[in-house]
Amino acid sequence: MKKMVNIALPKGRLGEKTYGLLKIAGYPCPSIEETNRKLIFENEEVGVRYFWVKPSDVAIYVERGAADVGIVGKDILLEYDPDVYELLDLGMGKCRMAVAGPKNFRDPAGATLRVATKFPNIAKTFYTGKCRDIDIINLNGSIEIAPILGLSDVIVDIVETGTTLRENNLEVLETIVPISARLIANTASYKFKFEEINAIRQSLGEQVNKS
Ligand code: PRP
């Protein structure tokens, strides 16, 4: 018998695009397309149950098995290092993790570098690799404002179009890593629902190759 696969989708634009891909890959769910405040939707016929969660929470749902698979940005995987399988690069939600700062910024060698970020682990790993002493300033959003107000020297953040940086007179100083959306799976689910999950991976992969 076909087992239902629970799929955590990231709320927002990336989630909607991903659902669009799943739909054409053979996993439509008409109720998810109705405008309402519901968070869980299922289509028994094709064996999927979707739920919308906060993008940064997708990996937690999958790691703990509340979802069998999920769609998550590589940034979240690098930051939280969840114990999940990364099955497929969806090639969407493309951006990069970068160090940014004021134009013509010069690293104050000798002094500790103050780095504002939502991604402390990515920042620490990056600067440890360069043997550079840093002071992490943990923020939750609008990171670009930190160097402008003198709260930090630089930021480590996601850059997509570069508009936010440009409009705040900042620029990319170094690219850390390219980012895109990934299909991830719970390690136990991947064994127990191998057939179903692999079918999703394959159909999605075919759609990704077409686009
Ligand atoms: C993200 C990121 C940058 C911006 C980059 O912020 O933290 O601020 O998008 O995009 P751009 O290069 O296309 O301008 P988000 O919109 O998630 O909001 P936040 O400031 O609350 O983190």
Side-chain angles (χ1 to χ4, degrees):
M1 206 185 93
K2 206 170 189 183
K3 296 171 189 140
M4 289 289 277
V5 177
N6 295 307
I7 305 178
L9 292 173
K11 243 189 275 182
R13 210 158 45 95
L14 175 64
E16 278 156 27
K17 269 177 88 175
T18 312
Y19 167 70
L21 206 61
L22 281 154
K23 183 180 170 179
I24 52 172
Y27 299 93
C29 184
S31 59
I32 207 170
E33 293 169 40
E34 294 161 12
T35 325
N36 57 35
R37 300 284 293 168
K38 271 180 70 174
L39 297 170
I40 303 180
F41 307 86
E42 68 177 55
N43 183 350
E44 255 192 278
E45 221 172 289
V46 294
V48 289
R49 184 179 297 117
Y50 291 114
F51 38 90
W52 294 116
V53 304
K54 209 176 157 193
S56 50
D57 289 341
V58 167
I60 298 172
Y61 281 84
V62 175
E63 183 175 34
R64 292 180 172 260
D68 299 309
V69 298
I71 309 298
V72 66
K74 182 71 179 175
D75 51 328
I76 302 294
L77 297 179
L78 290 170
E79 180 60 26
Y80 298 104
D81 195 20
D83 184 16
V84 296
Y85 292 140
E86 196 181 311
L87 301 182
L88 181 68
D89 183 346
L90 296 176
M92 27 168 74
K94 281 189 181 170
C95 52
R96 56 184 161 148
M97 186 64 65
V99 179
K103 288 182 179 156
N104 307 316
F105 172 79
R106 287 248 186 102
D107 188 324
T112 301
L113 187 70
R114 296 168 306 152
V115 182
T117 189
K118 278 191 286 197
F119 302 95
N121 292 325
I122 293 177
K124 270 181 215 155
T125 306
F126 178 67
Y127 282 106
T128 301
K130 293 163 88 74
C131 298
R132 181 72 176 94
D133 259 353
I134 58 164
D135 177 13
I136 296 266
I137 300 158
N138 287 293
L139 296 178
N140 296 302
S142 301
I143 316 293
E144 291 83 358
I145 212 164
I148 299 171
L149 298 182
L151 178 64
S152 74
D153 299 307
V154 295
I155 63 173
V156 164
D157 200 13
I158 280 173
V159 180
E160 192 180 348
T161 59
T163 309
T164 315
L165 291 181
R166 240 182 344 266
E167 293 190 356
N168 289 289
N169 293 316
L170 302 173
E171 66 181 10
V172 169
L173 303 171
E174 277 175 277
T175 293
I176 299 177
V177 66
I179 302 290
S180 58
R182 309 294 161 102
L183 174 70
I184 57 169
N186 173 269
T187 54
S189 303
Y190 194 59
K191 287 193 194 91
F192 296 120
K193 301 185 182 177
F194 179 78
E195 224 172 275
E196 290 81 0
I197 293 175
N198 216 31
I200 294 175
R201 186 233 298 246
Q202 268 184 3
S203 313
L204 270 180
E206 282 162 20
Q207 295 307 323
V208 170
N209 289 338
K210 272 189 211 163
S211 55

